[in-house]
Amino acid sequence: MRALRSAAIFCQVIDNFGDAGVCWRLARALAAARLQVTLWINDLDRLSRLRPAIDAGLASQLLDGFTLRRWSDEPVIEVDLVISAFGCRLPDSRLQAMAVAQPAPVWINLEYLSAETWVEGSHGLPSPHPRLPLVQHFFFPGFTPHTGGLLKEAGLDAARAAFGAQERAVFLAQLGVTVPAGALLVSLFCYPSAPLAQLLAAMRAGPPVVCLVPEGVTPLVPPAGQARTEGALTLASVPFLEPDAYDRLLWSCDLNFVRGEDSAVRAQWAAQPFIWQFYTQAEGAHFDKLDAFLALYGEVPGNSAPGLTQFWRAWNGDLAAVLDWQALVAALPALKSGARSWQSKLSSQQDLTTGLIEFAREIG
């Protein structure tokens, strides 16, 4: 079994914030596991939206226990573990340096998250390089013990449990948010393709709801720091929060609309009902991911509420599905119980960071 002391993560941001967010969380988690970690990323500006402490003008800086570096073609200094995030291609200069290192680093391709059944069979498979004496292994995040698990910090459950009513009130006050008695509190983070106007129209009909939207997500909300009430809906714009603060937002809400991979995973750790908008793929391939996830999620009592699948599909662009806000609100008590049970089930499985380290040691 190989000892791991250092790791390099490579991230090429395609769009949005998910790739950067996942890689930042992984770098921080590996550093917390006492590895010397360097995160190489091609879009420091995007990552700085998540972590404003970043100086996007620097080529190298220390942050959150690891080294953050702007992507370049220079060879990697000798490390024990190389992680290519989401299939990003490493420059030949880096691959050549890895090939001549003694010993060669463990090389892992961290794949995108999916609940599809084929993931279990592909997780951990090797892929020899066609020219160099290097072998890349596929590592798939997932929701079952036969996958790589989900990113989760040590102590996250304890932090969420300690976030009680008083802590929630203080946090919301810091955001300038007031929730009237009896009103639902909803967070909304979505892609532009979401049928947002339809949802907001349904929310106006009641029951009372305060909907919090991070600034920059949609032009349909008031300017940052302002709120607007129409019918039963109070729509408020809140700052684009740093990741740990975003967790507290998810913990605070009765329902969370999330998108992509990173915020969806955080919503599941929050143990609150959520609606997941998947990244749209050609020929509707994202519906395969949606249906596969709901098949697993629905096995937990409370998560197979009537109309839930219809709502998820409608929110993800299925024009034949029904976006029934009233039915979703009626199902929230059952979904709350189901979300807690789902979070508990996921917590009983190995987290991604621990599994990745153990896997790298075994194959190294």
Side-chain angles (χ1 to χ4, degrees), residues 90-323:
L90 301 184
D92 285 342
S93 58
R94 298 187 188 276
L95 294 176
Q96 293 286 352
M98 290 163 56
V100 299
Q102 295 295 326
V106 176
W107 183 18
I108 288 178
N109 179 22
L110 178 66
E111 287 285 352
Y112 286 104
L113 173 66
S114 177
E116 293 170 288
T117 54
W118 62 264
V119 166
E120 292 187 345
S122 300
H123 176 60
L125 290 180
S127 177
H129 192 276
R131 294 181 292 102
L132 299 173
L134 294 171
V135 178
Q136 181 177 220
H137 286 80
F138 296 102
F139 196 91
F140 281 85
F143 305 95
T144 73
H146 301 293
T147 66
L150 301 177
L151 265 172
K152 181 183 184 183
E153 300 82 3
L156 181 64
D157 288 343
R160 181 177 57 81
F163 189 78
Q166 182 175 353
E167 289 77 14
R168 177 180 184 266
V170 170
F171 173 72
L172 293 176
Q174 291 171 343
L175 294 179
V177 173
T178 301
V179 185
L184 293 172
L185 184 61
V186 175
S187 77
L188 197 152
F189 188 42
C190 64
Y191 295 121
S193 59
L196 183 54
Q198 182 182 353
L199 175 65
L200 297 181
M203 285 180 166
R204 294 186 193 106
V209 57
V210 177
C211 183
L212 307 179
V213 185
E215 59 180 314
V217 170
T218 173
L220 296 179
V221 300
Q226 298 184 27
R228 180 176 66 242
T229 299
E230 297 178 353
L233 169 64
T234 297
L235 192 61
S237 177
V238 296
F240 198 91
L241 299 174
E242 295 193 39
D244 291 339
Y246 182 65
D247 281 336
R248 293 191 288 275
L249 178 67
L250 296 174
W251 301 343
S252 299
C253 291
D254 301 298
L255 174 66
N256 295 301
F257 286 80
V258 290
R259 73 183 200 189
E261 178 172 330
D262 186 51
S263 62
V265 170
R266 306 315 292 186
Q268 290 170 68
W269 291 134
Q272 298 283 26
F274 69 100
I275 304 295
W276 183 357
Q277 185 183 13
F278 288 71
Y279 187 83
T280 301
Q281 294 180 293
E283 299 180 357
H286 57 291
F287 286 112
D288 294 335
K289 298 180 183 295
L290 184 157
D291 293 337
F293 176 78
L294 285 181
L296 282 178
Y297 194 63
E299 293 176 357
V300 174
N303 288 338
S304 56
L308 183 63
T309 297
Q310 283 282 307
F311 196 104
W312 277 54
R313 291 188 67 89
W315 188 244
N316 279 273
D318 184 350
L319 299 179
V322 178
L323 193 79

